[in-house]
Amino acid sequence: MMTLLQTDSPATKSARMPQLPSLEFELPPNLEASEPPEARGLARDEVRLMVSHYRDDRVAHTHFRQIGDHLQPGDLLVINTSRTMNAALPATLPDGTELRLHLSTQLPAGLWSVELRRPSPTATKPFSDGEAGTVLKLPAGGTARLLTPHNPALRHGPAQPVRLWLATLHLPLPLTSYLAAHGSPIRYEYVPEAWPLDYYQTVFANEPGSAEMPSAGRAFTPELMTQLIAQGVQFAPLILHTGVASLEDHEAPYEEFYRVPGQTAVQVNQARQQGRRVIAVGTTVIRALETVTDEAGVTHAGSGWTDLFITPQRGIRAVDGLLTGLHEPRATHLAMLAALADSCHLSLAYEQALQQHYLWHEFGDLHLLLP
């Protein structure tokens, strides 16, 4: 049986984070989804779906198109309608070194959180250098100036360089137009081929702002959503603009912009008062909802930047279930899952996902956690 352990990596020690749950397993390369399901001859909603019930450890294996078989009339699915940007830009250091600049999060006062990465034959790798005051050249005369490490506490020696920087951008066009003309979607080494931005959008995305796709919602299609609504399932939107994922570091998520509309707060509160299930479509939805849900379990409207880090010690107040992808062994998202489900249940579910050859990452399969 796979075990959900409490680990304390150097990064967590340096940032004084609580001990984090960590599943101990090796992810075989053949289980990393290297291309969209459409390239494998599948429709979006034909990816596989593991449905696990964390109260009694039942686990079912199906396809996403059959998700309605596991939902009930009155269930409220809360979705993230953030639209993914072409957030990767070619950049050049003053000495001519070519890099990729990943725009993570737009912050107040004209600041950005950005990540430097060096190109590789397939995608990008972490960049090991960077210095405050450096001005990077961007396409068409744009520039980015590095100001200071985003979180100096996470740097602990030359072998652990700064991953995210605070920076200012100077662009010749409005941001959306500039990224459309010169940017591309962020991708990592497990996706060797570049794919157009449309492959990184959900069908309900409407407001640009995410550095990476809120991928839990990718498998929905208009036809499936219509079918679910006819079945009595409800949908409620919010915004959380996702930042750059941390694939190399066991570190807490950085602040991200969110907006929870008043009507969504009303729907969540009504569902909970009436004993109906609230199911988050993605960890981003949980982060936004938990930011505006008080200790009494009442969800409020709100917007701003959230740095909330959800752990089992903190707990979850707003939702009963979660639709999400499959996460790496030491991903901090596992702390959020462990706040919702029993650790033994997560171990059981992930063991089955490996045995059944589910696919990981944004183009992979999905996991529906229900009571």
Side-chain angles (χ1 to χ4, degrees), residues 78-125:
V78 186
I79 57 176
N80 183 1
T81 59
S82 178
R83 190 169 180 83
T84 311
M85 304 184 299
N86 276 325
L89 289 165
T92 307
L93 287 172
D95 65 4
T97 301
E98 294 184 354
L99 305 173
R100 298 291 286 180
L101 180 71
H102 289 177
L103 304 184
S104 180
T105 302
Q106 190 168 12
L107 300 168
L111 297 177
W112 278 86
S113 175
V114 303
E115 180 187 42
L116 300 181
R117 297 181 75 92
R118 54 173 173 258
S120 76
T122 54
T124 58
K125 296 182 178 180

Side-chain angles (χ1 to χ4, degrees), residues 52-370:
S52 71
H53 294 264
Y54 55 80
R55 288 182 182 161
D56 60 12
D57 287 340
R58 285 180 293 136
V59 179
H61 303 286
T62 183
H63 290 86
F64 192 79
R65 189 171 286 180
Q66 278 70 54
I67 191 174
D69 295 341
H70 302 273
L71 299 176
Q72 304 168 358
D75 280 346
L76 178 64
L77 300 188
V78 186
I79 57 176
N80 183 1
T81 59
S82 178
R83 190 169 180 83
T84 311
M85 304 184 299
N86 276 325
L89 289 165
T92 307
L93 287 172
D95 65 4
T97 301
E98 294 184 354
L99 305 173
R100 298 291 286 180
L101 180 71
H102 289 177
L103 304 184
S104 180
T105 302
Q106 190 168 12
L107 300 168
L111 297 177
W112 278 86
S113 175
V114 303
E115 180 187 42
L116 300 181
R117 297 181 75 92
R118 54 173 173 258
S120 76
T122 54
T124 58
K125 296 182 178 180
F127 184 58
S128 60
D129 295 314
E131 186 175 333
T134 298
V135 176
L136 290 82
K137 295 181 180 178
L138 303 177
T143 60
R145 179 183 292 273
L146 305 182
L147 301 178
T148 185
H150 190 286
N151 188 343
L154 289 179
R155 185 165 188 170
H156 36 90
Q160 300 286 339
V162 174
R163 189 175 77 86
L164 291 180
W165 289 84
L166 292 181
T168 54
L169 302 181
H170 299 277
L171 306 177
L173 295 171
L175 176 69
T176 301
S177 300
Y178 184 81
L179 294 182
H182 303 291
S184 61
I186 290 175
R187 63 189 176 94
Y188 298 101
E189 289 188 290
Y190 57 81
V191 180
E193 183 179 343
W195 295 93
L197 186 60
D198 284 349
Y199 285 92
Y200 292 87
Q201 305 292 8
T202 63
V203 295
F204 36 73
N206 62 17
E207 181 179 318
S210 280
E212 297 183 10
M213 174 176 52
S215 55
R218 189 185 190 277
F220 283 99
T221 63
E223 295 79 11
L224 180 57
M225 293 181 73
T226 300
Q227 174 188 319
L228 293 175
I229 292 170
Q231 181 180 321
V233 175
Q234 301 176 12
F235 288 86
L238 56 73
I239 287 285
L240 187 133
H241 292 323
T242 65
V244 172
S246 172
L247 296 181
E248 296 80 30
D249 297 294
H250 194 163
E251 63 190 28
Y254 291 89
E255 61 263 47
E256 296 167 312
F257 179 81
Y258 73 93
R259 184 187 309 115
V260 178
Q263 181 57 35
T264 293
V266 168
Q267 287 180 265
V268 170
N269 290 329
Q270 287 180 344
R272 294 187 64 80
Q273 291 165 4
Q274 296 167 5
R276 296 185 283 114
R277 298 186 300 189
V278 179
I279 301 169
V281 178
T283 57
T284 60
V285 168
I286 290 186
R287 196 180 198 207
L289 285 179
E290 291 297 316
T291 298
V292 294
T293 299
D294 61 30
E295 292 184 2
V298 178
T299 299
H300 306 269
S303 65
W305 282 263
T306 178
D307 61 359
L308 180 63
F309 185 36
I310 300 169
T311 66
Q313 295 91 337
R314 190 266 184 192
I316 286 179
R317 304 162 183 165
V319 308
D320 309 288
L322 170 65
L323 176 68
T324 185
L326 293 157
H327 303 287
E328 291 80 13
R330 296 185 179 274
T332 52
H333 286 131
L334 289 171
M336 183 185 295
L337 270 63
L340 180 66
D342 179 81
S343 60
C344 292
H345 177 77
L346 288 181
S347 298
L348 171 67
Y350 270 69
E351 187 172 42
Q352 291 210 21
L354 289 168
Q355 291 173 352
Q356 297 290 329
H357 303 290
Y358 278 72
L359 296 181
W360 262 248
H361 304 312
E362 66 267 28
F363 292 139
D365 298 316
L366 292 166
H367 180 197
L368 177 61
L369 273 162
L370 292 174

